[in-house]
Amino acid sequence: MRNTEMLLIPGPTPVVDSIYDALAEETRSHTDSRFVAIYRSAIEKTREMLNTDGEVFVISGSGTLAMEMALVNTVSSGEKLLVISQGYFGDRFIQLGKAFGIQVEVLQAEWGKRVSPEEVEKRLAVGEFKAVTITHADTSTGVAADLDVLVPVIKEHGALVILDGVCATAAMEEDMSKTYGAPDYKIDVILTGSQKAIGVPPGLAIVAFNQSALAARQKIKGVPAYYCDIYNWIPIMNDPSKYFATPPVNLIYAYDEGMRLVLAEGMDERYKRHEAYGKGVRAALKEYGMRALAEEDVAAATLSCILYPDGLNDAAFRAALAEKGMIVSGALAHLAGKAFRIGHMGNTTAQMLEKAIVLIGETMNELGYNVDSSKATARFNEAISLCTK
Ligand SMILES: *Cc1c(COP(=O)(O)O)cnc(C)c1O
């Protein structure tokens, strides 16, 4: 393992050596048949991961670009968008929608809680919404959306379901062929980035459109974007030897290797592993008097937002962990200083998380608490074995 630190933040996440090796391969022409074959394979693997017969896009950009691409190709200026927001990244769709003249309405949950499906139902009943955005795992709060409950409500009202999977894809179930209660009740658009649960360095925007979403694009006369217009990319995704804009050649090598690892592990295995990590980390930290912002029944598998016990200083805590080679994130907005966020996704292993739990315990003891890390690691291992049975 080339990494010298444990990058346990909600993205970027730990990169493994075979991905670094791929990244360091010789840069070739984007039209070289050897590169084209790898790009084609990366696109195919993405299609397989999301189980879609629609179009997938793997292009330079971050998760935010993927959000923009999802939105501008489905919802026109003047049309209505409903944003289901369970934190900071849900709210980002409000700004995005406004930037394109979209009429945005928003249902915001108190941080740490979910928006109720009844509220969604009520709002959809009184307006013609073109699409609804859901953040699968909101990285600010560690709250996961319940797709089984939300997708049917949205589809009943004929709106498109746009799923932000930036902190979830490859770790929490996202299957574009899955039907949610009726044959045509499916997730229409999924967007993500390379650097979170997929575990590849940052720099790729990944988006998938199903046939309904593609039909919505067809009805739009002119998309208010150029780089983000999927019609400029469909020919490339179907034949990567064609040119529209230079793809990030080395990052595509890395992504293809990352996706190989994802598919080799298997999607169901990955969903189970992440569920186990989330439960395990939160159970362990509870032993230290640390509570997750999100209750267990709404908590995300990929990251947790953990409230500090009284008196624990955020800056001192995170600096002491960094000294020990473990990086976690501060909390956002009104939770800054009151909580930290720990990622447990992608190429992160149970061994790394067990070590992280020990280091957190050591740090707390240095800062004047009296905690027992052996109890905490025992809770972690119990939770893991229950989930992976
Ligand atoms: C990180 C994140 C984003 C933004 O992605 P960038 O790659 O930082 O642009 C969007 N949504 C969610 C849920 C995220 O976790």
Side-chain angles (χ1 to χ4, degrees):
M1 188 59 116
R2 219 161 299 172
N3 296 331
T4 56
E5 295 181 342
M6 292 202 293
L7 192 56
L8 300 181
I9 64 173
T13 58
V15 172
V16 294
D17 288 356
S18 68
I19 295 177
Y20 286 131
D21 288 342
L23 196 63
E25 286 287 319
E26 183 173 349
T27 302
R28 296 212 158 91
S29 161
H30 55 287
T31 57
D32 184 305
S33 61
R34 291 165 293 183
F35 169 69
V36 169
I38 294 170
Y39 202 178
R40 198 184 303 271
S41 144
I43 293 163
E44 264 324 299
K45 289 182 178 109
T46 308
R47 195 183 285 287
E48 188 179 335
M49 171 177 70
L50 297 172
N51 197 18
T52 178
D53 63 353
E55 297 284 352
V56 303
F57 305 92
V58 179
I59 67 171
S60 277
S62 80
T64 305
L65 184 92
M67 294 169 82
E68 186 161 321
M69 193 166 180
L71 203 56
V72 298
N73 287 282
T74 51
V75 186
S76 299
S77 166
E79 289 183 320
K80 284 173 76 172
L81 173 74
L82 181 62
V83 171
I84 299 177
S85 177
Q86 282 155 179
Y88 179 90
F89 286 101
D91 288 351
R92 181 160 284 192
F93 275 115
I94 305 170
Q95 308 307 326
L96 261 169
K98 284 185 180 157
F100 292 99
I102 292 165
Q103 285 191 50
V104 183
E105 289 190 24
V106 57
L107 291 170
Q108 256 155 334
E110 185 193 326
W111 275 34
K113 303 266 189 301
R114 277 179 178 160
V115 169
S116 82
E118 291 77 23
E119 276 181 86
V120 176
E121 167 73 50
K122 249 199 273 173
R123 194 65 73 96
L124 288 173
V126 295
E128 283 268 300
F129 289 93
K130 182 70 170 293
V132 180
T133 62
I134 305 174
T135 311
H136 202 174
D138 203 299
T139 315
S140 58
T141 57
V143 172
D146 186 347
L147 301 179
D148 290 330
V149 168
L150 291 175
V151 176
V153 173
I154 297 164
K155 295 314 296 183
E156 237 161 70
H157 291 277
L160 294 168
V161 173
I162 298 175
L163 184 65
D164 175 350
V166 180
C167 219
T169 308
M172 292 161 63
E173 190 193 38
E174 290 178 358
D175 178 345
M176 294 183 84
S177 296
K178 177 173 171 175
T179 56
Y180 290 84
D184 57 341
Y185 287 8
K186 294 177 186 170
I187 302 164
D188 298 294
V189 179
I190 292 179
L191 63 102
T192 193
S194 50
Q195 78 276 28
K196 298 199 183 176
I198 295 174
V200 167
L204 290 175
I206 298 134
V207 189
F209 276 57
N210 76 358
Q211 300 302 336
S212 310
L214 291 168
R217 169 63 189 85
Q218 197 164 20
K219 289 205 192 92
I220 300 178
K221 290 291 167 284
V223 161
Y226 178 65
Y227 185 79
C228 257
D229 183 348
I230 59 169
Y231 278 6
N232 284 326
W233 286 109
I234 287 176
I236 319 304
M237 295 299 121
N238 289 302
D239 178 2
S241 70
K242 291 196 173 124
Y243 170 77
F244 167 57
T246 310
V249 171
N250 291 61
L251 208 45
I252 298 287
Y253 298 156
Y255 177 72
D256 186 54
E257 170 59 12
M259 288 302 301
R260 187 188 67 76
L261 296 173
V262 166
L263 296 176
E265 183 176 1
M267 300 319 295
D268 288 340
E269 284 308 308
R270 284 182 75 89
Y271 301 151
K272 262 197 248 166
R273 174 165 68 84
H274 285 88
E275 191 66 34
Y277 284 180
K279 287 206 162 81
V281 166
R282 290 184 293 268
L285 297 183
K286 220 178 187 174
E287 279 294 322
Y288 295 156
M290 290 176 157
R291 187 168 68 77
L293 175 70
E295 295 288 343
E296 203 50 47
D297 58 341
V298 302
T302 46
L303 88 141
S304 303
C305 178
I306 305 290
L307 299 163
Y308 288 122
D310 278 344
L312 189 56
N313 182 281
D314 175 46
F317 174 76
R318 287 193 290 126
L321 283 179
E323 283 277 300
K324 298 175 169 61
M326 169 180 167
I327 315 295
V328 295
S329 294
L332 299 173
H334 66 278
L335 288 177
K338 300 194 179 99
F340 70 100
R341 294 175 303 145
I342 180 167
H344 28 79
M345 66 183 123
N347 302 306
T348 302
T349 62
Q351 286 81 350
M352 288 169 72
L353 292 174
E354 192 172 332
K355 183 168 172 206
I357 290 158
V358 171
L359 293 179
I360 290 173
E362 274 177 22
T363 301
M364 288 187 74
N365 288 337
E366 283 165 21
L367 294 174
Y369 291 77
N370 181 18
V371 299
D372 179 353
S373 66
S374 64
K375 267 192 196 154
T377 54
R379 288 293 96 76
F380 175 75
N381 286 311
E382 270 164 33
I384 294 265
S385 64
L386 278 178
C387 289
T388 48
K389 232 176 226 165

